[in-house]
Amino acid sequence: MRPRFLRLPRRSSRRIRADLEEELRFYFDMRTRELVDGGIPEAEARREAIREFGDLEFTTRYCLAEDAMSNRDTHRADRLAELRQDVVHTWRTLRRAPAFTAVALVTLALGIGATTAIFSAVNGLLLRDLPYRDADAVVRIWGARFDAPDRAGQISVADFLDLRARQRSFTTLGAFAFGGGTYVGPDEAVPLPGLRVEPQVMQALGIRPYLGRVFTLDDVSAANPVIILAYGTWQRLLAGDSGIIGRTVNVSGQARTVVGVLPPAFFFPSASETEIYTPLDLAALQSDPVRARRFRRLGAVGRLRDEATVEGAQVELVGIMRQLEREMPETNTNMSVLARSARDAVVGDVRPPLLVLFGASVLVLLIACANVAGMLLSRAVGRRQEIAVRAALGAGRGRLVRQMLTESLVLACCGAVGGILVAIWGSRALGTAARGVLPVAGLVRVDATVLVSALLVTFACGLAFGLVPAMSMSRELQAALRGGSTGTTAAAGGHRLRTALVTGQLALSVVLLVGAGLLTRSLLRLQGTDLGYDLDSAFTFEITLAGDRYRTVASHDQFFDALYEGIRALPGVVAAGGSGNLPLRGGSSASFAIEGQPRPEERLPEVGYQPVSDEWFAAMRIPLRRGRSFTRADHDSAPGVVILSEGLARTYWPGGDPIGARVRLGPDSTAPWGTVVGVVGDVRTGVDGEARPTAYVSARQDHWGGAAVVVRTTGSPGALLAAVRHVVRGLDPALPIAAAGTLRHAQAQRLADRRLPMQLLSAFALLALALASVGVYGVMAFSVAARSREIGVRMALGARPASVFRMVLRQGIAAGTIGAAIGLAGAIALGRMMAGLLYGVGPVDLPTMVVSVAVLLLVALGASLVPARRAVRVDPLTAMRAD
């Protein structure tokens, strides 16, 4: 068998045809000569030869096709043989350089793993089909206000019924209300978040249950109450019992018949997790017309008609609300609605930070590719003698480039194995950390789509970091053949390319550092904001009263009085109070009118509205500026009383005293007046909201059926959980407590949607910085090795070691400075993209940029120290003798 470098190259189709024509001519000439020798004239002999041969055109086409096929098979076999040789050679080469292989594989695994993990979240939340029939036709509808059209709220029962009767954009429109319950099992009571839904909601979503059926109109008013379970709830609480359909479960002290179990992939189009579904009866909510129009407790889900769009439905619904405002200004002034697609309802505010994180992971991957490209480039220069020998033995430029690309692709595939393992772990960790932040964290997983994407990324990475050394080496082939061991020009070109790659890594690192710095400063600003109350030494939990036992106002007051008294009796407890909601989680609104002042022509002003218990202000340490707090005397049958926040009092009584004034909360003119009895300090609602003017009413005069309780203690607040549970069980063993923890922990949970992007982006920035530092070290080390003779000559001519040390350091700092300058432009663009995620910090923040550049330069300086010290120790005689 001939050696590979002596084999003929692949024949072209023109060459094949020429060979065939030459062969046919030879045949005809030989046959013609035989016939001529037999006594036949030459012209007749040639005609006889052609006649004997047969169909010449058919034979020509057949021979060409067969030869071309044989040529292709040979070429394919040769390519496969070459590929096998290259893979075997690559494997041996990588085994001979374990340090290089380990660093390259870890670098690729981290880059591919980070990108794949974040893409699993992007795929699950932004790309994967939603679990609804014709999901693009599903629309989620909120209540809103004309002066704040993008601020989602809830809809009143009467408004929803008017919308459903007048709209023409939806085939089905159903309402739902938040309303969970407590599953009372044989061993414990478990609180379950849930929804009360109309059957039309199930129709709009197009749900096909895993077991049983969905609600029908007969279930709404049936004497036997029914329930539908989420798949996870069925598995967790009932062990996946397939015979559960038709059996009853105890929810909030009431026996409910299970009629269905929803599919595993199903989730409701809202930001909250839902475990149980019960029928909603709107007719029962219309018994009081005033409350049906005034109280806004509903959301809605609709299915668009074939010709309708979300935008068109939004315009139509807003138009209907304008009509209602004109017809009923007392209750519908400033009331609007907000319609969004199901995708927007599920994703919510997650899209911008998720896209920012995905972009950051791509930057990390680019840095990893640049790092490996630089390593391969340095390694290729060290293999110039090997390449020269292969070229001398007949390997062409294309053959050498294919070998280098094979090496990079093999390296990328090995790195992808580790990257996929990192991605699987990372996606699970991300799903766990994002539970409560991402609306459907369970969708973050590595599936077939993510794996295919990872493989495509791996192939792209292999080409990306393999082409650079391959093309550079092919250009240097002639220099290698001239060889010498010097190769000064080639080495200089390779050094410039490596320096450019490292500069790019540093620039991308600056972009990530600035982004992480902006989010970190924003989070610190949020944590340092004065909220108007004390987060320390406070324990909080939520409790909801449900069941026949708590249907009366008196039973509510009796339970909460006993609860607060029992908690206050615990050792170390200073105060205990409750409210409809913690300020951290926002609050409700109400129209505000002052007795004796003319009513505004357009609409009443909106203020915050919060029902609180007697010791709420003491438990939260909200200062009482004047007047008094609520007492037991402010019960349901007593005259209404109101406490105002300091900002609200300052706005409507500038320089005056509001104590004794009467105010009305609510747009309805029949709402009772309340007397102002106190003024308290301002409180910020949410984690980044302003101090909102707020009116507080006694929880005894506005019963919400539950409370967010805060317990102020002199000891450790975390140690109160067991004691509080004991108090609650003593009052009602069937009542669970939820969201238990310190008030500081509750704030941390509310900041989780800000903290998670900051943590991930910071991790990406640190990873990018580490990779860039390795790149700087590699370039400087190679530069010192390549310039050892020059450094030796300098030192032989009298250069001081300190000057050589500074020369090497200047190269590293120069690369860092250029990279920082380029990266700042990208950082400014990133900051503007992240503007919606920032609080108290501008997208172009000078301190953050200065610190980020300083950190980068320190890293570049640190990575250059070891090569600089190595340059100082170069022996002039040894370096000059080397060439």
Side-chain angles (χ1 to χ4, degrees), residues 154 533 540-543 560 564 577-589 609-613 616-617 620 622 683-686 694 696-697 699 702 704-710 738-739 743 746 750:
Q154 294 175 309
Y533 51 89
T540 181
F541 64 93
E542 295 178 2
I543 191 165
F560 281 112
Y564 297 142
S579 171
N581 206 352
L582 291 176
L584 286 168
R585 300 189 178 103
S588 301
S589 301
Y609 179 82
Q610 193 83 322
V612 299
S613 70
W616 171 254
F617 300 114
M620 293 290 289
I622 300 173
V683 170
R684 291 179 181 267
T685 57
T694 303
Y696 300 90
V697 299
D702 186 359
W704 281 39
V709 180
V710 173
L743 199 57
R750 295 299 292 176

Side-chain angles (χ1 to χ4, degrees), residues 114-454:
T115 304
T116 305
I118 298 299
F119 179 73
S120 69
V122 173
N123 177 62
L125 295 175
L126 304 183
L127 303 179
R128 185 179 292 147
D129 291 337
L130 297 177
Y132 317 126
R133 178 174 55 85
D134 299 329
D136 292 339
V138 178
V139 177
R140 173 80 157 81
I141 301 170
W142 295 265
R145 299 180 181 276
F146 287 118
D147 57 359
D150 293 328
R151 183 178 177 181
Q154 294 175 309
I155 312 170
S156 71
V157 174
D159 286 351
F160 171 77
L161 292 174
D162 286 334
L163 287 172
R164 182 154 65 184
R166 302 185 189 189
Q167 64 82 25
R168 296 292 180 269
S169 297
F170 301 94
T171 59
T172 305
L173 186 62
F176 67 90
F178 293 95
T182 302
Y183 170 75
V184 182
D187 300 322
E188 62 175 344
V190 182
L192 299 176
L195 292 176
R196 293 180 294 151
V197 301
E198 285 192 297
Q200 292 90 330
V201 171
M202 303 290 191
Q203 297 172 14
L205 295 175
I207 299 174
R208 294 181 178 177
Y210 183 79
L211 291 177
R213 61 176 177 84
V214 296
F215 295 138
T216 65
L217 293 176
D218 294 335
D219 294 322
V220 175
S221 56
N224 180 28
V226 296
I227 191 171
I228 292 177
L229 304 176
Y231 183 88
T233 308
W234 172 58
Q235 290 284 333
R236 189 177 75 254
L237 299 181
L238 301 171
D241 182 4
S242 59
I244 191 63
I245 303 300
R247 289 165 48 186
T248 60
V249 293
N250 189 336
V251 177
S252 301
Q254 185 180 45
R256 287 185 173 271
T257 302
V258 179
V259 297
V261 175
L262 296 179
F266 178 81
F267 53 86
F268 197 80
S270 66
S272 59
E273 186 178 3
T274 307
E275 298 199 59
I276 58 174
Y277 299 82
T278 55
L280 174 64
D281 186 3
L282 291 186
L285 300 179
Q286 298 179 70
S287 56
D288 185 343
V290 175
R291 295 176 65 86
R293 184 71 66 177
R294 177 184 176 188
F295 290 97
R296 306 179 185 280
R297 303 289 173 86
L298 299 181
V301 175
R303 175 168 290 276
L304 291 171
R305 298 184 185 276
D306 292 339
E307 67 280 3
T309 63
V310 177
E311 294 76 13
Q314 169 74 17
V315 172
E316 183 192 37
L317 295 178
V318 169
I320 295 173
M321 294 304 294
R322 285 291 189 190
Q323 295 174 9
L324 295 177
E325 182 182 42
R326 291 191 294 269
E327 295 170 8
M328 291 165 285
E330 288 286 336
T331 57
N332 282 71
T333 296
N334 198 29
M335 295 294 109
S336 182
V337 291
L338 175 64
R340 291 290 183 267
S341 68
R343 175 76 66 184
D344 289 341
V346 171
V347 175
D349 297 330
V350 174
R351 189 190 307 269
L354 195 57
L355 293 179
V356 168
L357 290 175
F358 182 65
S361 68
V362 171
L363 294 184
V364 171
L365 182 60
L366 291 176
I367 292 173
C369 289
N371 206 319
V372 176
M375 295 169 61
L376 287 174
L377 193 60
S378 299
R379 193 162 172 269
V381 173
R383 296 171 59 192
R384 289 171 58 244
Q385 294 298 326
E386 172 197 340
I387 301 302
V389 171
R390 292 173 67 87
L393 292 176
R397 178 176 177 178
R399 181 70 181 85
L400 294 175
V401 169
R402 287 198 304 274
Q403 177 196 341
M404 294 295 293
L405 287 179
T406 301
E407 292 183 8
S408 65
L409 288 173
V410 169
L411 197 61
C413 290
C414 294
V417 174
I420 291 174
L421 295 177
V422 171
I424 293 174
W425 173 84
S427 63
R428 291 175 179 172
L430 179 60
T432 301
R435 197 165 298 279
V437 177
L438 296 177
V440 278
L443 295 180
V444 181
R445 62 179 182 270
V446 176
D447 57 9
T449 301
V450 176
L451 288 177
V452 170
S453 302

Side-chain angles (χ1 to χ4, degrees), residues 553-554 557 631-640 698-703:
V553 170
D557 291 343
T631 66
R632 280 181 174 268
D634 302 318
H635 50 75
D636 189 56
S637 58
S698 173
R700 301 174 188 275
Q701 298 179 341
D702 186 359
H703 301 80

Side-chain angles (χ1 to χ4, degrees), residues 367-574:
I367 292 173
C369 289
N371 206 319
V372 176
M375 295 169 61
L376 287 174
L377 193 60
S378 299
R379 193 162 172 269
V381 173
R383 296 171 59 192
R384 289 171 58 244
Q385 294 298 326
E386 172 197 340
I387 301 302
V389 171
R390 292 173 67 87
L393 292 176
R397 178 176 177 178
R399 181 70 181 85
L400 294 175
V401 169
R402 287 198 304 274
Q403 177 196 341
M404 294 295 293
L405 287 179
T406 301
E407 292 183 8
S408 65
L409 288 173
V410 169
L411 197 61
C413 290
C414 294
V417 174
I420 291 174
L421 295 177
V422 171
I424 293 174
W425 173 84
S427 63
R428 291 175 179 172
L430 179 60
T432 301
R435 197 165 298 279
V437 177
L438 296 177
V440 278
L443 295 180
V444 181
R445 62 179 182 270
V446 176
D447 57 9
T449 301
V450 176
L451 288 177
V452 170
S453 302
L455 294 177
L456 293 176
V457 167
T458 299
F459 183 76
C461 290
L463 291 180
F465 64 72
L467 279 175
V468 174
M471 299 308 296
S472 175
M473 184 185 61
S474 67
R475 287 194 300 267
E476 297 172 7
L477 181 59
Q478 294 303 321
L481 286 173
R482 282 196 302 270
S485 50
T486 56
T488 306
T489 303
H495 175 70
R496 285 193 295 269
L497 185 54
R498 284 187 296 275
T499 303
L501 289 173
V502 169
T503 302
Q505 294 179 55
L506 294 172
L508 296 177
S509 299
V510 168
V511 175
L512 295 176
L513 280 174
V514 172
L518 290 175
L519 291 181
T520 302
R521 291 200 67 197
S522 178
L523 183 63
L524 292 175
R525 289 286 181 89
L526 282 172
Q527 292 176 333
T529 300
D530 182 11
L531 300 174
Y533 51 89
D534 189 1
L535 291 168
D536 297 319
S537 302
F539 179 80
T540 181
F541 64 93
E542 295 178 2
I543 191 165
T544 301
L545 305 184
D548 296 335
R549 180 177 175 181
Y550 303 105
R551 291 190 179 276
T552 64
V553 170
S555 63
H556 280 223
D557 291 343
Q558 182 181 4
F559 174 84
F560 281 112
D561 285 342
L563 175 65
Y564 297 142
E565 288 176 5
I567 293 176
R568 281 194 293 267
L570 297 175
V573 172
V574 176

